[in-house]
Amino acid sequence: ASIKIFKEHFPGIHMTLLAAPPYRELMEAQPSIDDYISGEKTSLGKYLSLISELKKRERFDWVISLQDKSKSDTIGVRAHIRNKVGSGRAIFYDGYLWDWLDRINVDIRNRETPGIVPPQGSVLKAQTLLSSLPERRVFAVIGAAWEEKRWPTDYWCAFLKELVREGWGVVLNGHGKEEKRIGAEIENNVKSGNILNLVDKLSFYD
């Protein structure tokens, strides 16, 4: 979404996105991204391979990092990219990301329109999955990385019962064995044909 806004301000720029391999299919569907490089930084070997790949590519004029305090801080220096802006460790950058964006009058946080285009196959699958639900739908992400961040299951049940009673369709989403258990508990408690339980049933691109 940030790249889309940036590209609207500078339509002539060639924008290459560096991201982890699982995002390739989604990112290659984005019209604002001209090229994509898959990169890993989970180990020193993979990180050095990434640097080597960047050096082999056409020369980059800028590296713009949206990550804080990570191995990505050193990418611009190691790949010999002249202009470097980011919000991580200042020693590796020529300018602080948010100050730089203010100077060039680009507000990547003001997103008035959708910023990500889903792959067409994902759109068609979503339409098929949701076809049995009413037009008014709520997408319930029932899990969280830490237990203290999770909304109690009985709260979900009470909330979703009321929505179903008012004619809403409900999509339960989550991942992993624990969230699958919670999803089944919610589904069994609410007992409605207008609940679609997709917990642990979707791939990243679904």
Side-chain angles (χ1 to χ4, degrees):
S2 300
I3 291 175
K4 175 179 179 291
I5 294 171
F6 192 89
K7 198 73 178 282
E8 288 170 351
H9 283 75
F10 302 102
I13 199 170
H14 184 92
M15 184 69 73
T16 299
L17 178 70
L18 168 62
Y23 300 102
R24 175 179 287 278
E25 183 179 339
L26 179 61
M27 292 302 103
E28 288 183 338
Q30 308 310 309
S32 55
I33 297 174
D34 302 296
D35 197 6
Y36 179 89
I37 299 176
S38 296
E40 292 278 12
K41 56 183 182 181
T42 53
S43 68
L44 179 60
K46 289 182 178 180
Y47 174 71
L48 293 177
S49 295
L50 168 61
I51 297 299
S52 178
E53 170 70 13
L54 290 172
K55 288 180 178 178
K56 289 177 184 176
R57 294 281 185 127
E58 60 192 83
R59 180 173 176 80
F60 293 102
D61 299 303
W62 289 83
V63 59
I64 305 169
S65 176
L66 299 178
Q67 294 193 6
D68 296 330
K69 297 180 182 178
S70 74
K71 289 180 183 176
S72 62
D73 283 346
T74 63
I75 285 175
V77 174
R78 293 183 179 275
H80 304 148
I81 300 174
R82 182 176 180 180
N83 303 291
K84 301 171 285 293
V85 293
S87 57
R89 293 167 289 186
I91 189 174
F92 296 112
Y93 297 105
D94 306 309
Y96 181 61
L97 174 67
W98 302 107
D99 291 342
W100 178 73
L101 289 171
D102 286 341
R103 286 199 303 273
I104 63 175
N105 198 31
V106 176
D107 183 2
I108 62 175
R109 291 164 289 197
N110 184 19
R111 302 172 182 179
E112 297 179 350
T113 59
I116 297 178
V117 178
Q120 187 58 30
S122 297
V123 173
L124 294 174
K125 184 168 183 177
Q127 290 173 340
T128 301
L129 285 170
L130 300 176
S131 61
S132 62
L133 296 179
E135 290 187 9
R136 293 195 304 169
R137 301 160 185 154
V138 62
F139 193 81
V141 183
I142 63 172
W146 298 282
E147 185 175 355
E148 57 269 24
K149 293 177 64 177
R150 295 177 193 153
W151 213 33
T153 304
D154 55 341
Y155 285 24
W156 274 117
C157 293
F159 172 57
L160 296 179
K161 279 182 179 179
E162 189 62 30
L163 284 181
V164 167
R165 193 176 296 117
E166 294 183 6
W168 286 75
V170 175
V171 180
L172 301 179
N173 188 45
H175 177 73
K177 291 182 179 179
E178 178 63 14
E179 292 177 24
K180 186 176 181 179
R181 180 192 65 76
I182 295 171
E185 187 175 337
I186 293 172
E187 185 179 20
N188 291 334
N189 188 286
V190 178
K191 289 185 173 62
S192 171
N194 285 341
I195 284 192
L196 178 62
N197 184 359
L198 297 179
V199 179
D200 212 35
K201 297 177 182 177
L202 301 176
S203 71
F204 177 81
Y205 295 104
D206 297 328

